[in-house]
Amino acid sequence: MTNLHIATFGGGCFWCIDAAFRRVKGVTLVSSGYTGGHLEAPTYQAICQGDSGHAEVVKISFDPTVIDYDTLLEIFFTLHDPTQLNRQGNDVGTQYRSVIYFHDEAQQLKAHAMISTQQAHHNAPIVTEISPSTTFYPAEDYHQDYFNENPQQGYCSILIAPKIAKFELAFKNWIVD
């Protein structure tokens, strides 16, 4: 059995990031949650206040023999606008910041290298934070796999569905059959 690796990304509302990574070959588990803040056992309501310091993130378990961390980073940068500080579209606040939580030095180095590579594709500076992984708190059950469980909900059908379609086209070789 291959040792699974962990990646943790925040790129706005976790529903979109969660939905995309659930479709990726080699990703074995996706959990929406909160990390990077000062409250112990935060709730969604506490996070929405914007003063807990937490970011909405997805924690991903992946098989590095199937998909590598660099490819996960490329997917992450496709799913959100890394030039928006503390927001993604209409979602505003530090909880929606663009952030990569690294789990080891190799991930930290790869994240910095990817930002350098990605910067050439953006007119504005990339503001993605790169921070060491801290305690991850799973979000409430209703946030897990939200897009697939609620495809007709307005936010899902209007905002997430087009991003997922774009993502699936760009990464068609990485989509689970």
Side-chain angles (χ1 to χ4, degrees):
M1 175 84 185
T2 302
N3 288 331
L4 297 178
H5 290 203
I6 304 294
T8 305
F9 304 122
C13 177
F14 45 34
W15 295 343
C16 178
I17 307 295
D18 175 294
F21 280 109
R22 287 180 186 275
R23 292 163 163 69
V24 176
K25 292 177 186 173
V27 171
T28 61
L29 182 67
V30 177
S31 180
S32 290
Y34 319 109
T35 196
H38 58 349
L39 290 180
E40 194 168 315
T43 63
Y44 183 67
Q45 288 72 27
I47 299 304
C48 287
Q49 299 301 313
D51 59 2
S52 74
H54 291 86
E56 287 191 15
V57 298
V58 292
K59 183 177 177 183
I60 301 160
S61 295
F62 66 99
D63 181 343
T65 66
V66 178
I67 189 165
D68 60 21
Y69 188 70
D70 287 330
T71 303
L72 295 175
L73 286 169
E74 288 177 32
I75 291 169
F76 168 68
F77 279 104
T78 300
L79 294 171
H80 78 295
D81 181 350
T83 68
Q84 291 189 343
L85 183 62
N86 296 330
R87 73 176 302 148
Q88 284 297 301
N90 293 330
D91 294 328
V92 179
T94 58
Q95 68 270 31
Y96 300 116
R97 66 188 175 271
S98 176
V99 58
I100 299 166
Y101 287 100
F102 60 87
H103 294 267
D104 58 33
E105 186 178 355
Q107 284 187 355
Q108 180 183 17
L109 295 172
K110 288 178 182 202
H112 282 289
M114 184 61 67
I115 286 176
S116 294
T117 300
Q118 288 290 320
Q119 188 59 67
H121 304 291
H122 297 279
N123 293 328
I126 290 178
V127 295
T128 302
E129 175 186 317
I130 300 173
S131 297
S133 177
T134 61
T135 303
F136 172 83
Y137 299 97
E140 296 79 356
D141 287 345
Y142 71 92
H143 287 297
Q144 306 302 328
D145 202 14
Y146 190 87
F147 175 74
N148 290 321
E149 296 294 325
N150 302 279
Q152 301 307 316
Q153 193 265 1
Y155 190 92
C156 293
S157 62
I158 295 168
L159 296 174
I160 300 175
K163 286 183 181 184
I164 295 300
K166 177 183 169 187
F167 152 74
E168 287 180 342
L169 185 62
F171 291 93
K172 60 186 169 195
N173 293 335
W174 288 105
I175 303 300
V176 175
D177 297 328

